[in-house]
Amino acid sequence: MESVACRRHFARFAQEPVRPPDRESDTSQRENQMTAEWAPFEYLDYSDYPRILVVAFDNSLYLLDAPFDEEADEYARDYTIKILNEAPGSGSWADLGLGLPVIGSLAVVPELFDRTRRREIRVDLIRSAIMEG
C-alpha cells in the first residue's frame, strides 16, 4: 500500500525540472553536456551502479531495472525500461513493473550518471533508448 508521504515525495519529484548539469568537466565532457539533460532519480538496490531506479520526466515515471542474474552470477549489463502507472510505495520494489511491457533497453555505463552515480541520470539517453525500442 502506498503511503501519503510517498505519493507526495514522488509528486514533488515528478515536477522537478529536467536540467543541464552544472559540474566541472574537461572539454569533451562539456561538449557532450551541452546536449545532455539530467533528472534526479530514486533507487533501491545498488552494486557499482543503481540496479533498480525510478526517474520522472516528460510527465511519466520510468522504471530502469538491471537485476541480478542468478544463473550467470552477475548483474544484468543493460537496464530494461518500463513506464510505471504510479509511484512505487515505501516497501519492497521486488514486483515493481511486473507485467508491464518493456519499451527499451539501455547499457549500464558511467556516462549515464552524475559523478556519484546516486543523484542524477541522463534522460536524453533514456529517450534515445526508448525511441530505438
Side-chain angles (χ1 to χ4, degrees):
M1 183 173 191
E2 188 177 333
S3 72
V4 172
C6 184
R7 285 195 305 268
R8 284 187 193 136
H9 171 75
F10 274 97
R12 179 193 54 78
F13 172 67
Q15 293 172 359
E16 290 182 14
V18 174
R19 63 171 189 74
D22 59 355
R23 42 188 95 57
E24 291 294 319
S25 62
D26 65 22
T27 305
S28 64
Q29 286 177 329
R30 280 190 200 129
E31 291 171 3
N32 191 28
Q33 288 175 348
M34 290 176 66
T35 59
E37 292 179 77
W38 298 84
F41 65 90
E42 296 289 327
Y43 67 93
L44 192 60
D45 192 10
Y46 190 95
S47 177
D48 295 327
Y49 296 91
R51 293 300 168 173
I52 184 168
L53 65 95
V54 174
V55 60
F57 63 94
D58 297 343
N59 298 315
S60 294
L61 278 175
Y62 294 89
L63 171 69
L64 280 71
D65 191 11
F68 189 77
D69 182 339
E70 295 287 337
E71 197 171 294
D73 196 31
E74 63 184 30
Y75 282 94
R77 294 181 181 171
D78 295 320
Y79 287 112
T80 57
I81 304 169
K82 298 179 179 182
I83 295 178
L84 292 177
N85 298 323
E86 60 185 334
S90 59
S92 172
W93 287 12
D95 294 331
L96 191 60
L98 192 65
L100 296 176
V102 174
I103 60 168
S105 65
L106 184 60
V108 179
V109 293
E111 297 80 16
L112 193 54
F113 298 96
D114 69 292
R115 271 185 313 195
T116 69
R117 297 182 185 164
R118 295 176 187 257
R119 293 187 190 134
E120 295 181 312
I121 190 165
R122 288 194 47 192
V123 297
D124 56 304
L125 296 178
I126 299 170
R127 276 191 203 107
S128 294
I130 293 168
M131 290 176 73
E132 292 174 8

